[in-house]
Amino acid sequence: MNPRTLTGVALATAGVLLAVPAHARPSQVATPSADARCTSLAGTAIPSSAISLRTRGGRVDAASPVTETVGGVSLTYCRADAALSPVDRSAPDIRLRVALPLDWNRRSMMFGGGGYNGTVPDVRGNVPFAPTDGAPPLARGYATYAGDSGHQADSAKHPILSLDGSFAVDDEALRNFAAGDALKKTHDAAQFLIRTFYRAKPRHTYFAGGSTGGREALAMIQRWPTAMDGVISAYPAWNNLAEALYLGHATHELARPGAFPGPEKQTLLYESVMRACDGLDGLTDRVVSNPDACRFDPGTLRCPDGADTGPSCLSDRQIAAIRVISSPWKWPYRVASGERGYPGFPFLSGADLRTPVLGFGTTAPSTPMPLTSGYGMQYWDQWVRYFLTRDPTATP
């Protein structure tokens, strides 16, 4: 661990933010030549020697000064878009964006992505769990940057861009995403551009992300502990293999005839859990603060004779499926990582089946996978086709 990370730096994991990096007084770098320095970045070569992992270098495709309101603050910054060339010429580029405020606080912030990535995150955005009335890093004087993790999502292959896993059939693109190589390549290239523009390097640099971005934050500090002074790792999708395998298990359970609970039944289950467990901590606030004490039995919602008679109850098949997806699952096979199972999803202790990511959509999974099925089911479908079998015609 970089000892610098122990000084005035925030580390948030498992969805809990401990702190946000402190804001330093901006260092005024706006000069009459600032616009010219910005536009001169266009066409700048990024040498492969500036990047610690193998690439064929890169180039700034476009650079221009921008004046706009970001997080309620009017500011001017230099926006530069660049691409890094892969070692394998058939692999996709890594595309990145850097925002360089003229009033720079001598700090930088890298943003992580989400899902399968494939697009450049908004470098004007805020960090996870930031105060709602606070300005985002760019407006606070941070030089910000982000990359697409080494591939460009194709809406023709999946209309939800963060669910396009088709890039994974390419070995270099797969390593850039799954092993996190694109993170360090993007970081190194962005830091080169920061030094080029300001003629100085940041005193401190940070990383912020949630879900896939949270996993990327942890990957940065584990693989390259001296690259960052601190990270904000929110709700990290860290055990991604285990999660993907469990999503497949849940998908197959919910695809059984009559097993899928529709939106009304999902609401019934959630509200019933809330009524049973919300007040266990002494406060009724629609938050189950002690999920370990919540032991809701979905059998209490059983329809007469176990048949599906409408939205006010659950059939036997639906009760069985909900119990399965809410329970630990031990795998009947070995994986190289040594993982043996997954703890299941906490739908019987306060989680909501209707949420966009952890929820299970409005229609049952099937083949082909409907876009109205849950995000996780579609994630699994793409993972089987492109990561596991690397056969787009495979049936999960």
Side-chain angles (χ1 to χ4, degrees):
M1 173 67 71
N2 178 5
R4 293 159 60 199
T5 63
L6 302 179
T7 305
V9 173
L11 173 62
T13 58
V16 179
L17 179 66
L18 302 182
V20 176
H23 176 51
R25 181 181 178 131
S27 173
Q28 185 68 245
V29 297
T31 67
S33 63
D35 285 359
R37 291 208 319 274
C38 177
T39 55
S40 69
L41 284 178
T44 297
I46 303 172
S48 59
S49 60
I51 303 170
S52 62
L53 301 179
R54 289 184 64 205
T55 70
R56 289 185 292 111
R59 183 171 298 276
V60 178
D61 298 322
S64 60
V66 177
T67 299
E68 64 177 337
T69 299
V70 177
V73 178
S74 178
L75 72 152
T76 300
Y77 63 94
C78 177
R79 182 175 65 201
D81 294 305
L84 303 180
S85 299
V87 176
D88 179 356
R89 294 175 185 270
S90 66
D93 291 341
I94 299 171
R95 295 181 185 170
L96 63 140
R97 171 168 288 180
V98 181
L100 307 161
L102 299 191
D103 289 340
W104 185 37
N105 68 5
R106 291 297 298 272
R107 300 182 180 208
S108 64
M109 175 72 73
M110 181 175 178
F111 289 106
Y116 288 130
N117 291 333
T119 58
V120 178
D122 187 357
V123 296
R124 303 167 301 176
N126 215 334
V127 300
F129 308 123
T132 56
D133 58 352
L138 179 60
R140 297 167 61 198
Y142 286 75
T144 60
Y145 54 98
D148 63 7
S149 83
H151 61 276
Q152 295 73 54
D154 185 349
S155 61
K157 294 180 178 177
H158 203 293
I160 302 174
L161 296 181
S162 63
L163 282 174
D164 175 21
S166 60
F167 68 91
V169 296
D170 180 275
D171 288 346
E172 188 168 346
L174 177 61
R175 182 166 183 81
N176 275 332
F177 171 80
D181 285 6
L183 299 172
K184 187 59 163 57
K185 296 173 185 177
T186 297
H187 167 72
D188 290 348
Q191 291 293 316
F192 172 81
L193 295 177
I194 289 171
R195 294 192 301 270
T196 299
F197 183 73
Y198 293 117
R199 302 185 180 95
K201 64 180 182 179
R203 293 192 181 103
H204 298 289
T205 189
Y206 305 100
F207 188 107
S211 191
T212 289
R215 181 177 73 249
E216 291 169 342
L218 297 179
M220 282 296 296
I221 60 174
Q222 290 197 13
R223 290 193 63 191
W224 304 285
T226 62
M228 296 288 170
D229 293 289
V231 304
I232 300 172
S233 175
Y235 43 93
W238 181 243
N239 49 345
N240 196 226
L241 169 66
E243 181 188 30
L245 292 173
Y246 191 81
L247 286 171
H249 173 61
T251 297
H252 281 273
E253 287 296 324
L254 292 169
R256 297 180 186 276
F260 182 80
E264 292 178 316
K265 291 176 183 277
Q266 294 173 23
T267 299
L268 171 68
L269 178 66
Y270 177 70
E271 294 297 337
S272 298
V273 173
M274 281 290 114
R275 284 193 295 271
C277 300
D278 181 10
L280 293 178
D281 59 353
L283 180 65
T284 302
D285 56 358
R286 294 192 65 79
V287 175
V288 179
S289 299
N290 187 4
D292 290 340
C294 183
R295 296 285 187 271
F296 183 79
D297 178 9
T300 60
L301 302 175
R302 184 174 184 261
C303 296
D305 300 323
D308 191 344
T309 57
S312 62
C313 59
L314 299 174
S315 71
D316 284 346
R317 291 180 179 180
Q318 291 160 350
I319 292 169
I322 289 169
R323 283 175 171 156
V324 166
I325 65 177
S326 304
S327 302
W329 180 48
K330 297 296 183 182
W331 302 331
Y333 42 74
R334 293 182 179 273
V335 296
S337 65
E339 293 166 290
R340 302 291 299 275
Y342 194 77
F345 291 152
F347 295 124
L348 298 179
S349 57
D352 191 346
L353 285 100
R354 303 166 301 176
T355 55
V357 177
L358 288 182
F360 284 92
T362 59
T363 55
S366 60
T367 302
M369 190 67 68
L371 296 178
T372 48
S373 63
Y375 188 99
M377 299 172 189
Q378 296 177 65
Y379 189 96
W380 156 258
D381 180 82
Q382 294 283 300
W383 189 78
V384 169
R385 295 178 191 277
Y386 299 111
F387 286 70
L388 186 61
T389 66
R390 309 187 92 176
D391 177 5
T393 66
T395 300

